[in-house]
Structures are given as C-alpha cells and as structure tokens.
Amino acid sequence: MRVGYHTITWGGVVGDPVGVTSVKDLYYRVNGPMDRAIAEIASLGYEGIEMFDGNVADFAGRPQELVSLLESAGVQLVGVYTGGNFIYDEILPEELSRVTRAAELASRFGASSLVVGGGARRASGTRGEDYKRLAAALDKVNDIAQAHGLEACYHPHLSTIVESPEELDLLMPITRIGFCPDTAHLAAGGGNPAELIRRYPDRVRHVHLKDARLSPLEFLPLGAGEVDFVAVLDALVETGYDGWLIVELDSYDGDPREAAAQSKTYLDRLLATIGPAVTHPTNGDAP
C-alpha cells in the first residue's frame, strides 16, 4: 500500500455552472491552484495525488504543464474522481461521454484508478428500479475504465442513494464495478468502515481515508474525528489490499497544507505499526 492525498481542499469543490444547461460538461472542480496543491502535497512526503475530472480537464490542451508539475514534485497522479446521476435514461449518454473523457485524461496522465460517485435521489423519492439503473450505468463505467487501462471503483457518498450499509448491499451484488470505501462517508451513513471492507474484500480497488465528527457532521484531519483507523487498516491488511490509500478532507476552513500535515503525521504513526505492507516515506519538509 502507498499513500497519497486529494487536492480537494486547495480551494474547495465546485461544479461547473455550464452543467446546468449542458450535462456533458458538468465536471467536478477544485476552485484553487493545482500547482500549489501538488507541490505542497509532495512536500509532506505523500507519493501520489488524486484530482477531480474538471481539474485534469483543465490541462487537456496543455498536457506537458501537468506532467511537469508532477515530475517536478516527484509525485504521480493516482486517480481521477468523476460522477453522475446515473439513473435517468435520457441524460445517461451525456454523463457517460463525460466519464469517457475523464478516463481518457486519467489514462493519458498515468493514473490507475477512475473513482466514481453518484446515484441521484429523486425529489419524489427513490424508486426500487433506481438501484438497477445505477448498477447498469456503473457496469458501463467499468467497461469504459477497462478500455482505458484503469480500475473503476464506486464511492458511496452522502446525498446519493448509496449512503447506508443497507443501500450499499442493494447495489454491490448487481454491479461489476469495484468498491472505494470512504471511511468518513461510510461512518456518516451509519456503517462501520472496517466491517464493510471485510464484507466486500474482493471488490476494494481504491481507498479514501477520511475522518469526521459525526454529529453534527464535520470533516476533519485524520485522528481528529471518530473514525477507527486502526480497525480500518487491520481490515485492509487482513483482506490483502495492496493498492493506494488516498487521504482526503472534503472541506476545511484552515490552511490545507497544515491539515494534510496533521493527517500525514497521524497516519505515519499508525503505518509504522503495520510494517512492510505499507510504504510511508517521510520528507525533510514535513513536520
């Protein structure tokens, strides 16, 4: 296992306004400087980064700029995060077009994972067939990812139709896509992250390590919230997971580098107890 960090807190996540009238262009985006994010993440000793599809798309016309930023920092692009409603037949081709674009760019810049969230909650309430629609769409996403040499994984997320363990259990048996457990979202949805990792050991393709206080919900650096990361890491080692651990913080009011450093210090202490299953290099600039 290797450790990376998501660029989300360097500006906070937004959606493209053009998506209100053009679904195919509705990318996620961090509204902040990616050059600073990449450099600061690398300075703390993280080996990789994850970015949103919109931020990677910003470099589509100037690819060497992103390549140079990654090479200069000494980190690699690990994953690209995208998403969609995935339950509405009429707009699904538009959403899959955007997913395909994200996969093309992820592959071009050397990523290994396509991380996908989604499954809209209808204003009128979730219908039973919505899980079948979501599963079928995710199978198409999985095929798109494989065609571009990527591993696709589904990220359960608050505000979607897959928040709780019961909802996850409705989806996973009817789709082929991998599983990206996000520790904070699973806990906030009423689940035990370690138990859910053990429930789907052969489906875990990518991991988001995230902490939170659950009531009222507040996302926090690792070690500052309620998630039991000792249990999570034990479950990952027990199931033989050997992929990336991506530390993430959905929102943060303070300095994003300080939050990333706090998480790195906490995680390094835990990883030191595991041994060779996890690589956790340090950096002279890290606190």
Side-chain angles (χ1 to χ4, degrees):
M1 291 186 280
R2 302 171 68 189
V3 179
Y5 201 86
H6 201 295
T7 62
I8 185 171
T9 46
W10 277 263
V13 61
V14 297
D16 282 316
V18 68
V20 174
T21 53
S22 178
V23 172
K24 70 178 178 61
D25 299 314
L26 185 53
Y27 290 104
Y28 284 109
R29 193 180 303 279
V30 172
N31 190 25
M34 290 298 96
D35 55 348
R36 176 188 164 197
I38 292 169
E40 292 188 351
I41 289 169
S43 75
L44 296 167
Y46 290 100
E47 297 181 86
I49 64 165
E50 185 175 312
M51 295 172 68
F52 284 122
D53 51 0
N55 292 106
V56 178
D58 288 341
F59 292 97
R62 43 192 174 95
Q64 189 56 44
E65 184 176 337
L66 179 55
V67 171
S68 295
L69 288 173
L70 295 169
E71 289 180 349
S72 296
V75 294
Q76 67 184 86
L77 179 65
V78 174
V80 173
Y81 189 104
T82 187
N85 290 271
F86 294 141
I87 64 167
Y88 305 116
D89 289 342
E90 186 171 359
I91 68 169
L92 182 59
E94 306 299 302
E95 294 181 319
L96 293 178
S97 173
R98 176 164 39 78
V99 169
T100 299
R101 180 62 168 152
E104 291 170 349
L105 291 167
S107 179
R108 181 193 302 184
F109 291 112
S112 56
S113 294
L114 185 69
V115 190
V116 184
R121 287 198 182 274
R122 300 175 189 265
S124 59
T126 301
R127 304 173 187 172
E129 66 267 24
D130 286 346
Y131 290 95
K132 293 180 181 179
R133 291 173 183 265
L134 174 58
L138 292 176
D139 281 348
K140 293 178 180 178
V141 170
N142 192 62
D143 291 341
I144 290 168
Q146 288 184 345
H148 291 86
L150 304 169
E151 287 271 16
C153 52
Y154 178 72
H155 179 307
H157 204 289
L158 297 176
S159 81
T160 73
I161 62 173
V162 185
E163 293 184 340
S164 69
E166 295 78 15
E167 291 169 338
L168 183 64
D169 289 342
L170 289 174
L171 175 69
M172 292 300 285
I174 58 174
T175 182
R176 294 180 282 107
I177 200 168
F179 175 33
C180 173
D182 179 297
T183 54
H185 281 272
L186 292 176
N192 180 310
E195 289 182 2
L196 291 170
I197 289 167
R198 290 188 174 95
R199 188 177 302 177
Y200 297 105
D202 298 331
R203 303 288 291 277
V204 177
R205 300 287 182 269
H206 193 74
V207 175
H208 280 186
L209 297 183
K210 183 184 301 172
D211 209 349
R213 182 185 63 206
L214 300 180
S215 183
L217 181 63
E218 180 183 2
F219 296 107
L220 297 166
L222 301 189
E226 301 174 38
V227 175
D228 185 350
F229 289 103
V230 172
V232 167
L233 292 174
D234 283 347
L236 290 171
V237 171
E238 177 185 316
T239 58
Y241 178 72
D242 63 356
W244 282 87
L245 305 173
I246 300 297
V247 182
E248 188 183 24
L249 184 56
D250 280 10
S251 58
Y252 191 68
D253 291 335
D255 182 351
R257 185 184 186 279
E258 290 180 1
Q262 183 176 339
S263 290
K264 185 69 164 56
T265 299
Y266 173 81
L267 188 57
D268 278 348
R269 287 200 299 266
L270 291 186
L271 297 183
T273 69
I274 294 176
V278 184
T279 64
H280 42 96
T282 58
N283 184 286
D285 293 335

